[in-house]
Amino acid sequence: MNTKQKDRNQEEHVIQDIVHSLKDKEGALLPILHAIQDSQGYIPDASINIITKALALTRAEIHGVITFYHHFRTSPPARHLLQVCRAEACQARGARALEDHVKSKLGVDYHQTTADNEFTLEPVYCLGNCACGPSIRIGDDIVGSVSTGKFDQLVDKLTRYVLELK
């Protein structure tokens, strides 16, 4: 068995364990989807069949929930998940101009990944950092008072770091 197949089998076992542990919970679908994405970084297609059997739902029903909520991803995110706050407080502090700059600098729109697989861009609707907007989150780190220049420095620093590792 090759490494890719072993990884796929391990992924399926993790997903089966998640589904089994949550399937009896009331309204189990959303907790299951969240747990799978937390574990895998996205909702793998193979997980849909596991969920359909456990919850007696159709693929269409599960797909409908996944596509309704923008939080869920059906493909792995890039090395850096980058979220731009779109809440009113951040917009009042310049988030719309920052959004345009971020999209232009990365060459992607929301829910897309850069060609080099370094950044996946997503909107978020409040990072709880309202007084320091506009704010972004890169991975688990929230950064406030982000200007276009500060954003460029952050991206350049992350890109340089990755190049040094290669």
Side-chain angles (χ1 to χ4, degrees):
M1 186 181 299
N2 65 31
T3 305
K4 203 173 205 178
Q5 184 61 41
K6 285 181 186 176
D7 289 346
R8 208 171 300 131
N9 286 344
Q10 183 178 2
E11 178 182 271
E12 283 191 30
H13 286 299
V14 169
I15 291 167
Q16 287 172 345
D17 289 346
I18 290 169
V19 172
H20 180 72
S21 70
L22 296 171
K23 70 180 182 179
D24 295 323
K25 189 173 189 162
E26 189 173 332
L29 182 57
L30 283 175
I32 287 171
L33 292 174
H34 280 286
I36 290 171
Q37 183 157 299
D38 290 346
S39 157
Q40 305 301 309
Y42 70 112
I43 310 293
D45 190 55
S47 65
I48 306 302
N49 290 335
I50 296 168
I51 298 169
T52 60
K53 291 174 186 165
L55 299 183
L57 296 171
T58 66
R59 287 183 64 84
E61 289 171 315
I62 296 167
H63 179 74
V65 171
I66 291 170
T67 56
F68 179 80
Y69 293 103
H70 293 289
H71 171 74
F72 296 123
R73 292 182 292 280
T74 56
S75 59
R79 180 185 313 265
H80 303 289
L81 180 59
L82 192 148
Q83 296 175 312
V84 177
C85 183
R86 300 191 73 209
E88 290 81 3
C90 281
Q91 285 185 27
R93 299 180 63 89
R96 287 190 191 255
L98 178 63
E99 277 183 270
D100 292 340
H101 179 77
V102 168
K103 291 175 182 180
S104 175
K105 170 92 175 166
L106 297 179
V108 296
D109 203 342
Y110 285 124
H111 308 291
Q112 295 180 344
T113 298
T114 57
D116 61 3
N117 205 38
E118 286 301 317
F119 297 94
T120 295
L121 181 61
E122 293 184 349
V124 66
Y125 296 91
C126 194
L127 293 170
N129 199 30
C130 303
C132 299
S135 297
I136 64 171
R137 178 168 43 206
I138 300 176
D140 293 329
D141 298 324
I142 296 174
V143 183
S145 303
V146 180
S147 64
T148 57
K150 186 174 181 177
F151 176 78
D152 290 349
Q153 289 175 344
L154 289 167
V155 168
D156 292 345
K157 182 179 175 183
L158 288 169
T159 305
R160 241 188 345 270
Y161 177 72
V162 169
L163 290 175
E164 289 172 5
L165 292 177
K166 291 183 180 180

